[in-house]
Amino acid sequence: MQATPGRLLLRLLENRNHVKRSFYHKQALTNAAVQKKRVELFNKEAKRQAAFITDVEKITVKYCDQPEECTLVMNKNMSTPYNCAQHINQNILERSVLAEIDGQVWDMHRPIEDNCTLRFLHFRQQDPYYVNKAFWRSASIMLGAVLESAFKENLYVELCSFPSPNVRSGSFVYDVDLKIPSWEPTKDELRSLSAEMVKLSMAGHRFERLEVDASLALKMFADNQYKKRQVPFIAAQSSSGNSVVVYKMGNFVEISRGPMISNTGHLGKVSIVGVHPIQTEEGQLFRIQGVALPKGIMLNHFSYGLLEERATQLNSGRFPSIPSLDKPLPNHQARA
């Protein structure tokens, strides 16, 4: 019988007894409760920041691409590239993954800050470098969301981090603390994780960006031993020296500098194919790996199977290194 997400570790926990029972008796946290708290903090801060915009100031946005150039009058710090696309063309709206504001890669749902020129980026352009990186990064975050939700409620999952996206690696990745010493997932369990990724894609959740003070980020991730230690070092590398960029996707909140794809619906065919135990300075974590195609990009079964086979190999991305007071977080991790 195919495993369902709620039963992914049922066999592991009950039949193999991989986890110490005492841990569960002491463990009061649940991932659902922590997710709810983070979303509430995110929404409250987004509302607070929006309240500061009391006057509507107009800006001009010059669109410089096909089917024809045009100039839009939009609202400063309120209108987004997505809103601009709504005024231009339905096809552009649906295919655009990222925007380019005065040459800077920009999230589709990030408000525009001043007069500017605008282009849209998509998967079929001649050089999709930035789009591909955003796609891989977003797939990793979606995988993190799945891992935080797919296991039994008495298994408190702590996400650690993911290496900087590298399409040439052949897989997107998330490193996670599952609180179990070993796990060799069955094909059904991997298929269940893949099915959860598909559900996220079908939901079409937007990636909503928010820059917050480090103190709020610490509140958001107070229940994650890895991320709360990363926050001060990430904040120190920000332009203000004290801010952290977070994204909300559905009921999941994550730290990342971005940018992200416009919404989860850009994810097409996807497979979670590998679980590797990795030894880090913090002990053992699991590196969960997957492969995916953008929506609308098609491969035959044989070719996609080759991608899946390649993605099962341990991704060579750098293992997590959690900062301490005398050891800053490596730049590639702090700005994933």
Side-chain angles (χ1 to χ4, degrees):
M1 179 176 67
Q2 182 170 336
T4 59
R7 299 175 58 192
L8 272 177
L9 289 189
L10 184 62
R11 176 171 50 80
L12 287 174
L13 297 179
E14 295 181 353
N15 296 343
R16 298 185 183 179
N17 195 29
H18 275 308
V19 185
K20 294 181 179 179
R21 295 182 183 276
S22 60
F23 172 82
Y24 291 106
H25 292 307
K26 296 177 183 178
Q27 182 59 264
L29 292 173
T30 66
N31 290 112
V34 170
Q35 284 182 343
K36 181 180 178 182
K37 181 194 77 171
R38 290 176 188 156
V39 167
E40 289 175 349
L41 289 171
F42 183 103
N43 291 340
K44 182 178 180 181
E45 176 62 11
K47 185 176 180 179
R48 186 190 72 85
Q49 292 186 21
F52 284 112
I53 306 174
T54 56
D55 297 320
V56 178
E57 182 178 346
K58 297 299 181 180
I59 57 175
T60 57
V61 178
K62 184 177 181 181
Y63 173 66
C64 305
D65 212 333
Q66 299 296 324
E68 62 180 357
E69 295 185 0
C70 64
T71 298
L72 304 171
V73 178
M74 307 301 288
N75 297 326
K76 182 176 182 177
N77 293 321
M78 298 173 64
S79 300
T80 66
Y82 185 87
N83 297 140
C84 293
Q86 289 177 311
H87 291 289
I88 299 172
N89 182 288
Q90 184 67 25
N91 181 54
I92 290 174
L93 179 70
E94 293 176 356
R95 76 175 185 177
S96 296
V97 179
L98 295 171
E100 194 175 88
I101 301 290
D102 288 338
Q104 179 183 351
V105 180
W106 203 265
D107 292 274
M108 286 290 291
H109 302 289
R110 179 180 176 182
I112 302 171
E113 299 169 354
D114 212 336
N115 300 327
C116 64
T117 59
L118 168 67
R119 293 180 61 246
F120 293 106
L121 307 181
H122 54 86
F123 291 112
R124 295 186 182 276
Q125 65 191 66
Q126 186 173 358
D127 181 9
Y129 173 80
Y130 291 109
V131 172
N132 286 340
K133 285 182 71 71
F135 179 72
W136 232 228
R137 182 186 296 112
S138 303
S140 290
I141 285 186
M142 291 173 66
L143 176 57
V146 165
L147 294 172
E148 203 173 71
S149 303
F151 297 97
K152 291 173 65 67
E153 288 187 1
N154 59 354
L155 183 68
Y156 184 65
V157 174
E158 286 187 279
L159 301 177
C160 183
S161 61
F162 55 93
S164 181
N166 180 1
V167 178
R168 293 182 179 179
S169 70
S171 60
F172 60 86
V173 173
Y174 214 115
D175 298 327
V176 59
D177 183 354
L178 294 177
K179 305 292 188 300
I180 54 177
S182 62
W183 182 31
E184 296 181 6
T186 65
K187 290 183 178 180
D188 280 347
E189 288 170 335
L190 291 176
R191 277 195 289 266
S192 292
L193 291 175
S194 302
E196 290 302 294
M197 292 286 288
V198 172
K199 287 182 181 179
L200 279 182
S201 173
M202 294 178 66
H205 295 303
R206 293 183 177 185
F207 284 90
E208 302 176 50
R209 181 187 186 275
L210 189 66
E211 188 169 351
V212 304
D213 186 82
S215 60
L216 179 57
L218 284 171
K219 290 181 182 178
M220 286 181 172
F221 296 96
D223 303 303
N224 184 304
Q225 62 176 314
Y226 305 107
K227 294 186 183 295
K228 71 180 180 181
R229 288 162 58 191
Q230 295 168 357
V231 164
F233 297 92
I234 295 172
Q237 297 183 36
S238 67
S239 58
S240 68
N242 195 44
S243 62
V244 176
V245 174
V246 294
Y247 282 84
K248 180 166 76 75
M249 182 269 297
N251 65 350
F252 180 72
V253 176
E254 176 62 297
I255 300 170
S256 177
R257 68 169 180 174
M260 301 296 167
I261 59 179
S262 177
N263 63 77
T264 60
H266 286 297
L267 186 80
K269 189 175 180 64
V270 57
S271 305
I272 307 304
V273 296
V275 175
H276 298 277
I278 57 174
Q279 293 299 324
T280 73
E281 298 171 359
E282 302 300 313
Q284 179 179 281
L285 301 174
F286 287 93
R287 173 157 288 187
I288 318 296
Q289 300 180 186
V291 66
L293 296 174
K295 185 177 181 180
I297 304 296
M298 308 299 293
L299 279 183
N300 61 49
H301 180 75
F302 176 77
S303 298
Y304 186 76
L306 293 178
L307 294 182
E308 288 181 311
E309 183 177 353
R310 180 189 178 197
T312 63
Q313 305 303 311
L314 177 63
N315 188 294
S316 60
R318 191 183 295 270
F319 288 177
S321 178
I322 308 302
S324 62
L325 292 177
D326 59 351
K327 185 185 66 175
L329 185 69
N331 186 61
H332 73 280
Q333 283 184 236
R335 300 180 62 81

